[in-house]
Amino acid sequence: MGGTISVESTLGKGTRFTVDLPVEFVEGERGNAPTASPVLATIDGTRVLLCEDNDFNAEIATILLRSRGVDVVRAADGRAGVELFAQSEPHSFNAVMMDVRMPMMDGREATRAIRALEREDARCVPIIAVTADAFEEDIRLNQQAGMNAFVVKPLNRDQLFKTLTELIGR
């Protein structure tokens, strides 16, 4: 990209990394950032099934989602998530957030089980992988299991809302 990276380090004091990249501003784009993000408002009133075995992670995700008006139903593992989805009214969930690594039934297995259910919404409900593993191979395996997108752990609020808005935004 034509830039430079430099490092200055002093034992016991710290390290400074400097990255310089040449950037060209296109006339008219500087200072035109929107003042309010439409991403934050468009998922209000949706309902998400959150499959997450870690209580702390589930609490953070729930707080984030509810702060944007999302109704959250939690399942403590993949098997419970499949059961909750199967017992719900068709189209009652706008999306499923699926932790990839869970006991009883992992997220990929749970996704395949949801996709195999004999109901229309099981084939089309967006399922979002929630994972710390976002390498190309992991993404490919998630897609093969039937997942539509992924967000990385720890959750990044902007990435989460952007992904949900793209998949279920109203």
Side-chain angles (χ1 to χ4, degrees):
M1 295 178 67
T4 60
I5 300 174
S6 61
V7 177
E8 298 173 31
S9 186
T10 305
L11 187 62
K13 284 188 140 188
T15 303
R16 176 185 303 187
F17 294 89
T18 305
V19 178
D20 289 312
L21 296 174
V23 177
E24 290 183 34
F25 287 96
V26 177
E27 189 63 36
E29 288 189 12
R30 195 184 312 205
N32 288 343
T35 54
S37 173
V39 169
L40 302 180
T42 58
I43 57 174
D44 182 50
T46 60
R47 188 168 188 234
V48 170
L49 173 58
L50 173 64
C51 301
E52 171 62 68
D53 64 309
N54 181 288
D55 292 336
F56 182 73
N57 291 341
E59 184 176 347
I60 290 172
T62 299
I63 290 168
L64 286 172
L65 293 167
R66 287 185 178 156
S67 76
R68 298 296 176 230
V70 176
D71 179 28
V72 180
V73 176
R74 182 191 174 198
D77 60 57
R79 181 171 293 143
V82 173
E83 290 172 7
L84 277 170
F85 189 90
Q87 294 167 5
S88 69
E89 290 294 319
H91 301 285
S92 63
F93 289 109
N94 299 98
V96 177
M97 289 179 56
M98 184 72 72
D99 183 14
V100 174
R101 294 185 185 196
M102 292 183 287
M104 307 301 277
M105 180 184 282
D106 71 32
R108 291 181 187 132
E109 188 179 351
T111 296
R112 285 189 287 273
I114 288 172
R115 296 290 188 219
L117 293 172
E118 292 294 323
R119 47 191 272 184
E120 178 189 341
D121 63 334
R123 291 182 292 283
C124 65
V125 65
I127 300 179
I128 302 161
V130 181
T131 181
D133 302 322
F135 298 104
E136 284 185 39
E137 177 67 8
D138 299 300
I139 294 167
R140 185 183 63 75
L141 291 171
N142 294 341
Q143 289 171 334
Q144 286 177 346
M147 296 177 174
N148 303 90
F150 74 95
V151 292
V152 294
K153 287 182 180 181
L155 286 177
N156 174 293
R157 182 181 62 140
D158 294 336
Q159 181 196 23
L160 173 63
F161 294 147
K162 180 179 185 292
T163 301
L164 282 170
T165 300
E166 288 172 354
L167 293 172
I168 65 171
R170 296 178 176 206

